[in-house]
Amino acid sequence: MGQWRNGNKSAGMEMKSGHSKAMIARLSRYLRGLEDHIRQGCETISSRALGEQLGISDAQVRKDFAAFNRLGYAGIGYRCADLIQVIRDTLGINRAWRAAIVGCGNLGQALIGYQGFRQRGFAIEAAFDENPALIGRRLHGLEVLPLRHFAATVRERGIQLAILAVPAEEAQKTGEIIARSGILGILNFAPVNLNLPKSVSVSSVELTIELEQLVFAVVQKQIVE
Amino acid sequence: MGQWRNGNKSAGMEMKSGHSKAMIARLSRYLRGLEDHIRQGCETISSRALGEQLGISDAQVRKDFAAFNRLGYAGIGYRCADLIQVIRDTLGINRAWRAAIVGCGNLGQALIGYQGFRQRGFAIEAAFDENPALIGRRLHGLEVLPLRHFAATVRERGIQLAILAVPAEEAQKTGEIIARSGILGILNFAPVNLNLPKSVSVSSVELTIELEQLVFAVVQKQIVE
DNA sequence: TGCTGTGAAAGACTTCACAGCA
DNA sequence: TGCTGTGAAGTCTTTCACAGCA
């Protein structure tokens, strides 16, 4: 999961939204589970069933959903459609979000072509790089623009989010350019701790860290057995 | 971050290793910070400095490192090299790990070419797909093999980990093939809750979830202001 | 009977604050 | 003085257990 930034520690309590950090992290997962479920033709689901599907306790599920007003029906469960809507509202994904990819190497190119983003309402509206060999080329139908056009393009195209997929060495510098452009949030794939003004939210995905954590789980299991 | 599986909830206490889940999640980040620091020529670092770099409190850093035996020097701090070694030992990444990519679409191809893995000791030793148009092609120097050769290849090449990058619809089925082959851990990029025997550890990265959580942070900040 | 909603209890995790070493 | 190591306190999160509704 992306890490929470420095200043984000809830000051001695839950966040202003009234939802705890831990709960927010689960909402996206509930959403997946609910969509699966509805795809199978079920209109309602119990806390137990949803929890089992996701590896979350039924009590936890109920506590989380209790934050929404009385959405459940005793003896029945919850209506999937209701939950989906209220979760999407809560996360803020009930509207279209526009993103730019910054860094069109291996990973950046893959992210431009990744269908999952569009399917879930995120549109990739621009791609940037500094490499002259890439600039002007079309990747998955999107023209690669020089980084110096970043701010102007973001303004023109109404882009709010940046997905940063440049090499570690360039991440901080590039992050600063992005931050200055009025972008609201950065999803960072570079293995670097970005130090940016707090006007921009940063969330990081480090692929190698994910692998390392998997290895720990593997080794741990071997020891226990 | 990858999710923790069902059975993994520490039974009323820290795990067998004596390290809490939360701490393990931080170890990889410490590693990054320490390597940065050492690259800048510093041999020692204080809990305060390391914490500041990573957005972690100094007390937290000390508590975490206290789990290792008396590595710190009062008045000085910790020796970076010592910490790096003990963290690598703890995570189990003090040896080479071999991985296979399963699914050579956009994302799979990018992961084959991702330098970060190799730089940190993870070697991609095989690539698989079911698409006849891809089988036999070389991607970043690696030949794409048909999925039915998975188990045999894994055995031959001593592969322990699989990186699953197939479409959501095929993830469960493919996961089962992987699990049957004796693989120890799966890093799953498909937006699906894999239901697999607990002999294999699963860690999931969902790119869209990461974006959703970023959006929440963005929206939250706007409301507060 | 099957399920929600929820106080109360338990547990995990983080921060505080300070003794003590170099 | 600068820093670690650590009990104690505080905070956050999860689980328990059960009243009550359909």
Side-chain angles (χ1 to χ4, degrees), chain B residues 171-183:
Chain B
Q172 176 64 36
K173 187 197 71 182
T174 313
E176 288 167 13
I177 294 172
I178 293 173
R180 274 199 301 275
S181 72
I183 281 281

Side-chain angles (χ1 to χ4, degrees), chain B residues 12 41 45-46 75 77 93 95 102 105 117 120 130 137-138 141 157 179 184 186 200 225:
Chain B
I45 192 168
S46 69
I93 54 175
R95 30 176 159 155
V102 183
F117 288 148
R120 293 194 134 280
E130 285 202 302
R137 273 183 55 185
R138 285 193 167 273
R157 304 191 185 176
L184 302 174
I186 298 176
V200 59
E225 277 157 12

Side-chain angles (χ1 to χ4, degrees), chain A residues 138-153:
Chain A
R138 286 193 167 271
L139 301 173
H140 302 277
L142 206 56
E143 184 184 355
V144 179
L145 304 174
L147 193 57
R148 66 175 188 282
H149 291 179
F150 187 79
T153 309

Side-chain angles (χ1 to χ4, degrees), chain B residues 22-60:
Chain B
M23 172 195 172
I24 293 299
R26 281 186 298 268
L27 288 186
S28 290
R29 292 173 60 201
Y30 290 137
L31 209 47
R32 292 284 177 296
L34 290 164
E35 284 164 348
D36 270 12
H37 203 70
I38 229 173
R39 211 172 296 124
Q40 285 164 33
C42 306
E43 295 205 342
T44 65
I45 192 168
S46 69
S47 57
R48 163 98 82 110
L50 183 57
E52 225 155 68
Q53 181 183 351
L54 300 173
I56 298 174
S57 79
D58 58 326
Q60 183 70 77

Side-chain angles (χ1 to χ4, degrees), chain A residues 53-114:
Chain A
Q53 181 184 352
L54 301 173
I56 297 173
S57 79
D58 58 325
Q60 182 71 77
V61 173
R62 289 198 299 281
K63 262 279 202 288
D64 284 342
F65 292 169
F68 310 130
N69 290 332
R70 308 240 150 222
L71 233 44
Y73 300 91
I76 311 275
Y78 303 84
R79 293 173 40 104
C80 301
D82 291 355
L83 281 175
I84 288 173
Q85 176 160 16
V86 72
I87 291 174
R88 291 179 57 88
D89 287 352
T90 304
L91 290 178
I93 54 176
N94 51 356
R95 32 174 157 154
W97 286 89
R98 297 163 155 254
I101 303 279
V102 183
C104 299
N106 272 325
L107 186 58
Q109 292 187 25
L111 294 172
I112 294 172
Y114 184 59

Side-chain angles (χ1 to χ4, degrees), chain A residues 8-169:
Chain A
N8 242 349
K9 38 201 66 153
S10 42
M13 51 172 314
E14 59 208 353
M15 287 170 281
K16 309 298 189 303
S17 65
H19 304 302
S20 80
K21 194 157 118 175
M23 172 196 172
I24 293 299
R26 280 187 298 267
L27 288 187
S28 289
R29 292 173 61 201
Y30 291 137
L31 210 45
R32 292 286 177 294
L34 290 164
E35 284 164 348
D36 269 12
H37 204 71
I38 228 172
R39 214 173 293 124
Q40 284 163 33
C42 307
E43 295 205 341
T44 66
I45 192 168
S46 70
S47 58
R48 162 99 81 112
L50 182 56
E52 225 155 68
Q53 181 184 352
L54 301 173
I56 297 173
S57 79
D58 58 325
Q60 182 71 77
V61 173
R62 289 198 299 281
K63 262 279 202 288
D64 284 342
F65 292 169
F68 310 130
N69 290 332
R70 308 240 150 222
L71 233 44
Y73 300 91
I76 311 275
Y78 303 84
R79 293 173 40 104
C80 301
D82 291 355
L83 281 175
I84 288 173
Q85 176 160 16
V86 72
I87 291 174
R88 291 179 57 88
D89 287 352
T90 304
L91 290 178
I93 54 176
N94 51 356
R95 32 174 157 154
W97 286 89
R98 297 163 155 254
I101 303 279
V102 183
C104 299
N106 272 325
L107 186 58
Q109 292 187 25
L111 294 172
I112 294 172
Y114 184 59
Q115 290 310 305
F117 288 149
R118 192 165 293 269
Q119 281 163 15
R120 294 194 132 281
F122 294 99
I124 308 297
E125 301 283 4
F128 299 89
D129 207 298
E130 284 201 305
N131 180 350
L134 282 172
I135 291 169
R137 272 182 56 184
R138 286 193 167 271
L139 301 173
H140 302 277
L142 206 56
E143 184 184 355
V144 179
L145 304 174
L147 193 57
R148 66 175 188 282
H149 291 179
F150 187 79
T153 309
V154 157
R155 233 178 297 117
E156 281 164 23
R157 304 192 185 176
I159 291 170
Q160 307 107 336
L161 306 174
I163 298 176
L164 184 57
V166 300
E169 307 79 60

Side-chain angles (χ1 to χ4, degrees), chain A residues 194-207:
Chain A
L194 295 182
N195 198 339
L196 297 177
K198 64 184 190 313
S199 58
V200 59
S201 302
V202 178
S203 204
S204 288
V205 179
E206 298 203 23
L207 300 179

